[in-house]
Amino acid sequence: MKTILVPTDLSVLANNALRVAVDLARDYESEILLVHYQPLSVARANNAEGSLAMLSYLDEQEDNDKAELQKIAENPAYHDVRIRPITSKDAGSLYETMTERGADRAGAPERRPDLIVLGTHGTSGWDELLFGSNAERIVRHAHCPVLVVKEACTSFAPKNPVAAINVDDDLKENWPVYPFNANGKSLKQFFYVRTPNDVLVPEGVQEWMQESAQKQGLTDYEFHIRQARTVESGILNYAHERNADLIVVYTHGHTGLRHFLQGSTAEDILNHAPVPVLILRISDQPSHS
């Protein structure tokens, strides 16, 4: 994990996400790209004097934001981690930076990030996320794992992660690698939520998991099938009962979040989960080089 990208709006939430990213950067000797989007545009003024005043204000705001971003990057508490501040005025290039690749100070293309860490309130819908509706787009389209965090934590080192799986042949063939093994705690707990309308029988689900585990070389693991009224409630209840400190889910990215991560279900999990949520893309596995 060479590059961790942290979008920031210079808020407390974003700083919480940055602290998590710093913990991970220390474990994996990663570089952090601290990306700030300035959602300001030049409003049309009725006269030249008004236009000049607006331009002056925007330039002053940009200078202030850059200074604040640099101050965060140079925080003495992060002295042992390389943090590169990046500012962007263009939402399109910002979205591309966060979902496709990194960018240097001049905007030149670099490698894709290996992980994106997002901050969220998580209680009032997607509008409360760091970048509003853009956060959902990042989660759905990112070509790397996305870690969604809410509360500040003294250190991020999940010791009891649980993973919600779906009976999906793509997942069986392209099982994403769990990226947080540096603390010696691997992902060993898997579960499937079966709802009243589920057409799959438990025996078939068990067989699918056994075949998948054998294909991936998983031997020391647990697997449970949990009955629930909805998939999202089953995921949240299971994580609570197991005292999980991280919920792992899988996504197909552009093709939608199937079964348990589709439409409002994704929002419910990310908004109501009291612990961080790690979203792993099935088609693109994270880099460990």
Side-chain angles (χ1 to χ4, degrees), residues 129-148:
L129 283 166
L130 187 60
F131 283 96
S133 61
N134 281 336
E136 183 178 7
R137 295 177 64 196
I138 293 169
V139 168
R140 288 180 178 271
H141 294 273
H143 292 277
C144 66
V146 178
L147 179 63
V148 182

Side-chain angles (χ1 to χ4, degrees), residues 1-6 14-34 75-83 115 117 147 149 151-159 179-184 245 276:
M1 189 187 300
K2 295 295 185 181
T3 306
I4 301 173
L5 193 148
V6 181
N15 290 337
N16 291 343
L18 177 60
R19 281 191 285 271
V20 168
V22 167
D23 287 338
L24 292 170
R26 289 185 176 123
D27 287 338
Y28 297 95
E29 299 181 355
S30 307
E31 175 188 37
I32 294 176
L33 303 182
L34 187 63
N75 187 329
Y78 308 148
H79 70 92
D80 55 338
V81 175
R82 184 183 180 192
I83 301 177
L115 175 72
V117 182
L147 179 63
V149 300
E151 304 293 335
C153 59
T154 55
S155 63
F156 180 79
K159 296 179 173 59
F180 304 143
N181 289 315
N183 56 30
D245 54 6

Side-chain angles (χ1 to χ4, degrees), residues 110-233:
E110 284 188 354
R111 57 173 295 158
R112 289 177 176 176
D114 299 301
L115 175 72
I116 296 174
V117 182
L118 281 174
T120 171
H121 286 291
T123 56
S124 303
W126 281 104
D127 288 341
E128 294 296 326
L129 283 166
L130 187 60
F131 283 96
S133 61
N134 281 336
E136 183 178 7
R137 295 177 64 196
I138 293 169
V139 168
R140 288 180 178 271
H141 294 273
H143 292 277
C144 66
V146 178
L147 179 63
V148 182
V149 300
K150 299 175 184 178
E151 304 293 335
C153 59
T154 55
S155 63
F156 180 79
K159 296 179 173 59
N160 191 33
V162 298
I165 63 96
N166 181 31
V167 176
D168 185 316
D169 287 339
D170 288 340
L171 177 57
K172 181 190 294 186
E173 296 300 320
N174 301 284
W175 199 288
V177 176
Y178 177 68
F180 304 143
N181 289 315
N183 56 30
K185 297 291 184 180
S186 59
L187 182 60
K188 297 181 179 180
Q189 299 184 68
F190 302 89
F191 67 102
Y192 176 86
V193 177
R194 190 169 185 267
T195 61
N197 296 326
D198 199 331
V199 298
L200 299 177
V201 297
E203 294 78 9
V205 176
Q206 290 280 5
E207 181 180 355
W208 180 93
M209 185 63 195
Q210 290 171 2
E211 293 175 355
S212 299
Q214 184 176 12
K215 184 176 182 62
Q216 303 304 322
L218 299 175
T219 55
D220 183 19
Y221 72 95
E222 297 180 33
F223 179 64
H224 301 278
I225 298 177
R226 180 56 55 89
Q227 192 76 29
R229 185 176 62 84
T230 65
V231 175
E232 58 268 28
S233 65

